[in-house]
Amino acid sequence: MGGGLLVGVWVARYLGPEKFGYWSYATAIISILSIIVKLGLDSIVIRDIIKHPENTKKILGTSLVLRMGIGVIIFIIACIVLYFFEEDELNQKMVFIILFSLFFYPFDVVDLFFQSQLKSKFTVIAKNASFIVFSLVKVGFIIYNAPLPAFALAFSMDIFFGAILLSLLYTQTRETIFNLSFNKRIAIGLLKDGWPMLISGISVLIFMRIDQLMISKMAGKIALGNYSSAIRISEAYYFIPMAIVGSFFPSIINAKKQSRSLYLNKIQQLNDLMTWISIFAAIVVTIFADHIMLFLYGEAYVNAGTILAIHIWASIFAFIGVSSHRYLLVENLTHITMYKTLVGVFVNIILNYILIPSYGAEGAAYATLITQAIYVSFANLLFKKSHIVFNIQLKSFNIPRIIHD
């Protein structure tokens, strides 16, 4: 992620705020579409493999087929929408090229297997190898003054190469990926359990990316370029909660089998850790926000420092959301997550609509911060069964309790 940030900064400096705005617009769209392709099945697949290891090949194969099918459908629909409704030729070209990555995201099911076995090192090897290769490609594009669509091609090829490496590593540790099988009964079960998570995932991505689409339409590509450069910094370390929680999750499931007190204690400890890592990072980044933007991006992006200082505080709720929402998953309360995220999407769109015209990109940063707080924490008060999640989060801010424990 650190390397990705540095290469991303170099690309942003090379493109300038306006072209970087085009790049951010295209990647924001593919972020939302890729979540639809995953069908909300990530945590469900990991959970089911841990519970039923004898069905591993069927679970992985079924998930792969479902994702490939929806990927083809989305690609066709997106191309039709682009052709008839997107008037900006550069936007059209960028999005079309990046759309091809939808065919390769389904192979991330291999990563889910590695996570369930606590062997994420294989995913790291595959993803890092692909990242290194195509980071060098992007550097070459910069040196030889390549046009903007070339970077979109590198994006899709990065996903493609990573998918191939994941499949090869699965072959080395298990069997060939072609030995996976589809099971109709498992497919129905995955879709039944996964659809609330799918809607939640789409909703999360919408309120994390809709701000960029709205800035593009309401404030222009330069404002979007500044905003996107700032949030790249504040989101650069989001891999930390995903990595920690990914490693913690199997032990949480196993703790539930032993005793509820041990299970809740583990969730509390995880939430405490996420809370204070994010608070420390937010304080540091806020103090040095202007200097960070000037040093990394240069004078062209100097106005993005204020955006960064606001947006970084939303990461606190992003961190604790990754950890505390695992309780809802383990308790099979994913419908609550779905309702919460729908609330978040509604709030975020309204706030962006109100704040962007008056405050530009800074208004979008405030909208994200407020939305994250409502979605991750306060929306838990709307449902009786999620009150415990709010209490866990509240306890994490209790400094005397943390010190005593």
Side-chain angles (χ1 to χ4, degrees):
M1 291 295 290
L5 174 62
L6 293 177
V7 174
V9 165
W10 198 355
V11 170
R13 292 176 73 112
Y14 167 72
L15 295 176
E18 184 174 12
K19 287 185 177 179
F20 190 59
Y22 277 98
W23 166 257
S24 301
Y25 180 82
T27 53
I29 290 177
I30 203 64
S31 294
I32 296 173
L33 296 182
S34 66
I35 287 295
I36 300 177
V37 170
K38 292 181 179 181
L39 291 171
L41 298 180
D42 283 9
S43 298
I44 306 297
V45 169
I46 295 172
R47 183 196 67 188
D48 287 355
I49 291 175
I50 293 172
K51 288 184 175 181
H52 307 286
E54 71 280 3
N55 290 332
T56 295
K57 290 195 294 184
K58 291 180 180 179
I59 295 169
L60 290 177
T62 302
S63 177
L64 177 61
V65 171
L66 289 173
R67 291 181 175 197
M68 292 181 71
I70 195 67
V72 172
I73 294 172
I74 292 173
F75 179 83
I76 294 172
I77 294 174
C79 287
I80 293 173
V81 172
L82 273 179
Y83 182 80
F84 287 103
F85 298 102
E86 181 54 72
E87 298 179 356
D88 191 309
E89 185 176 342
L90 184 54
N91 266 344
Q92 189 179 69
K93 185 180 296 185
M94 289 287 294
V95 175
F96 177 72
I97 295 172
I98 289 180
L99 276 176
F100 281 96
S101 65
L102 292 176
F103 296 117
F104 315 126
Y105 277 107
F107 290 91
D108 273 355
V109 296
V110 176
D111 172 37
L112 304 181
F113 167 74
F114 288 142
Q115 287 189 50
S116 70
Q117 305 301 305
L118 295 180
K119 294 180 178 179
S120 293
K121 64 179 182 180
F122 293 112
T123 300
V124 173
I125 291 170
K127 298 291 187 180
N128 279 359
S130 181
F131 162 75
I132 291 170
V133 170
F134 287 96
S135 290
L136 293 175
V137 169
K138 290 176 185 177
V139 171
F141 285 164
I142 293 172
I143 293 173
Y144 291 101
N145 297 314
L148 181 57
F151 293 91
L153 179 61
F155 179 94
S156 289
M157 293 304 297
D158 186 3
I159 305 299
F160 169 66
F161 192 58
I164 291 178
L165 290 178
L166 273 175
S167 300
L168 291 175
L169 286 171
Y170 179 80
T171 301
Q172 294 297 316
T173 58
R174 296 276 289 187
E175 304 172 271
T176 173
I177 197 170
F178 297 106
N179 285 338
L180 301 179
S181 59
F182 178 84
N183 182 281
K184 183 178 179 180
R185 180 183 60 81
I186 291 177
I188 294 173
L190 288 175
L191 292 175
K192 181 181 178 181
D193 289 346
W195 74 266
M197 297 299 291
L198 170 61
I199 294 178
S200 299
I202 294 172
S203 301
V204 170
L205 257 294
I206 287 177
F207 80 64
M208 288 186 70
R209 294 292 177 256
I210 194 66
D211 47 5
Q212 297 182 42
L213 303 183
M214 294 179 73
I215 290 171
S216 176
K217 299 300 182 182
M218 300 172 72
K221 290 294 189 298
I222 294 178
L224 175 57
N226 280 315
Y227 182 80
S228 299
S229 65
I231 68 172
R232 276 179 175 267
I233 304 296
S234 62
E235 295 179 355
Y237 67 118
Y238 278 18
F239 75 95
I240 293 176
M242 297 303 295
I244 294 176
V245 172
S247 295
F248 235 92
F249 191 46
S251 68
I252 289 175
I253 295 176
N254 290 326
K256 190 173 189 294
K257 298 176 182 178
Q258 299 177 45
S259 73
R260 183 166 179 81
S261 60
L262 177 63
Y263 158 63
L264 293 176
N265 187 52
K266 278 188 172 291
I267 293 178
Q268 185 67 63
Q269 290 175 343
L270 181 60
N271 208 78
D272 294 344
L273 179 63
M274 295 297 96
T275 300
W276 290 99
I277 288 177
S278 57
I279 288 176
F280 175 76
I283 293 172
V284 173
V285 171
T286 300
I287 294 172
F288 298 103
D290 289 336
H291 301 287
I292 291 171
M293 295 306 300
L294 183 61
F295 174 76
L296 291 177
Y297 289 96
E299 291 286 347
Y301 293 88
V302 69
N303 293 329
T306 304
I307 300 171
L308 174 59
I310 299 167
H311 196 276
I312 190 63
W313 289 93
S315 65
I316 296 175
F317 299 100
F319 268 55
I320 63 177
V322 171
S323 58
S324 57
H325 284 173
R326 286 302 184 274
Y327 171 84
L328 297 178
L329 175 62
V330 175
E331 296 294 323
N332 205 26
L333 297 174
T334 51
H335 62 284
I336 291 180
T337 303
M338 178 188 70
Y339 295 137
K340 286 173 54 182
T341 49
L342 290 175
V343 170
V345 169
F346 177 77
V347 171
N348 190 245
I349 291 175
I350 296 299
L351 289 175
N352 276 305
Y353 185 78
I354 294 173
L355 296 175
I356 290 176
S358 299
Y359 302 100
E362 293 178 15
Y366 280 118
T368 298
L369 172 57
I370 297 169
T371 301
Q372 285 279 22
I374 292 173
Y375 156 66
V376 173
S377 295
F378 295 103
N380 288 310
L381 297 175
L382 299 175
F383 311 96
K384 185 177 181 179
K385 291 184 178 180
S386 62
H387 285 181
I388 188 173
V389 176
F390 181 79
N391 291 333
I392 288 171
Q393 295 171 346
L394 198 60
K395 287 180 181 178
S396 292
F397 290 93
N398 186 337
I399 297 178
R401 185 193 67 81
I402 298 292
I403 295 174
H404 179 266
D405 289 350

